[in-house]
Amino acid sequence: VKGGSARRKSGLAIFAAKSETAATSTVSYTLLNANKDKDKLAVYIYDAPGLVTQWREGQPPRKLRAILASGQSNCGDTTVIPDDWTKRQEAVVELKTKEPFFDVGQYRLNFRGRVTVPSVKNFQLEDDEGKVLLQFGRVSDHKFHLDFCHPFCPATAFAAVLTQFDI
């Protein structure tokens, strides 16, 4: 769902916001609980170079930052991201895409056999210590694998994947 407001009494909704300059492009997605308070469950932020930079230097891999509530363990929890999360870093966990290495003309990541088909949609999210907490990748034309662990729950992991298909 892009823009607008959540009108459902229950469930989850994803909202998108985009900002662009000649130098950079940022797309932000927020996973909301569609309750009356519209609690933030996760924020996904893509930073990309602007069109001029892409034209000059080529298309680099996507860079995603995932922001989750630090106490989140499953979607039944009431732990949400506070509105002032940028000032309260202890209240959130920030994960970043693992940087792929360039080999034989392609960017590559080690999925330990779980992903078999190269795709721009393949990605891994890691913590500050380099531990992969979520990985997603193509295994055939219409099949993908999604592996995740704490602090992700099924809804926040699936929302991260959905944002890949909207970029």
Side-chain angles (χ1 to χ4, degrees):
V1 178
K2 288 188 177 186
S5 62
R7 298 194 189 280
R8 295 179 53 182
K9 293 183 181 179
S10 65
L12 303 171
I14 299 175
F15 290 87
K18 186 174 187 176
S19 67
E20 282 188 288
T21 66
T24 63
S25 173
T26 300
V27 181
S28 173
Y29 297 90
T30 304
L31 176 65
L32 299 174
N33 188 338
N35 62 13
K36 66 177 180 154
D37 296 326
K38 299 193 179 32
D39 296 325
K40 285 182 191 155
L41 301 178
V43 177
Y44 309 98
I45 303 167
Y46 287 89
D47 295 313
L51 289 176
V52 173
T53 306
Q54 288 181 33
W55 177 75
R56 216 175 324 136
E57 300 174 15
Q59 176 68 31
R62 299 172 181 187
K63 292 188 179 185
L64 167 64
R65 288 185 296 144
I67 315 298
L68 303 167
S70 62
Q72 187 169 327
S73 61
N74 64 54
C75 287
D77 287 353
T78 57
T79 307
V80 296
I81 297 174
D83 289 333
D84 61 346
W85 66 268
T86 55
K87 297 175 187 168
R88 296 181 49 207
Q89 291 296 311
E90 76 284 350
V92 297
V93 174
E94 183 172 340
L95 307 171
K96 296 180 181 176
T97 48
K98 185 172 185 172
E99 288 290 325
F101 60 93
F102 196 74
D103 182 40
V104 193
Q106 291 185 341
Y107 288 101
R108 299 182 187 272
L109 287 168
N110 183 359
F111 287 92
R112 306 201 187 305
R114 291 283 294 155
V115 175
T116 55
V117 179
S119 172
V120 296
K121 308 250 187 285
N122 297 351
F123 72 101
Q124 295 176 324
L125 289 173
E126 64 181 0
D127 61 13
D128 292 335
E129 299 167 1
K131 180 180 178 187
V132 174
L133 302 176
L134 180 145
Q135 66 179 16
F136 174 76
R138 184 182 297 265
V139 294
S140 70
D141 282 346
H142 302 291
K143 290 185 182 179
F144 296 85
H145 283 173
L146 171 61
D147 303 319
F148 62 93
C149 62
H150 177 82
F152 286 96
C153 70
T156 57
F158 190 63
V161 169
L162 288 178
T163 65
Q164 283 284 338
F165 286 91
D166 192 47
I167 296 289

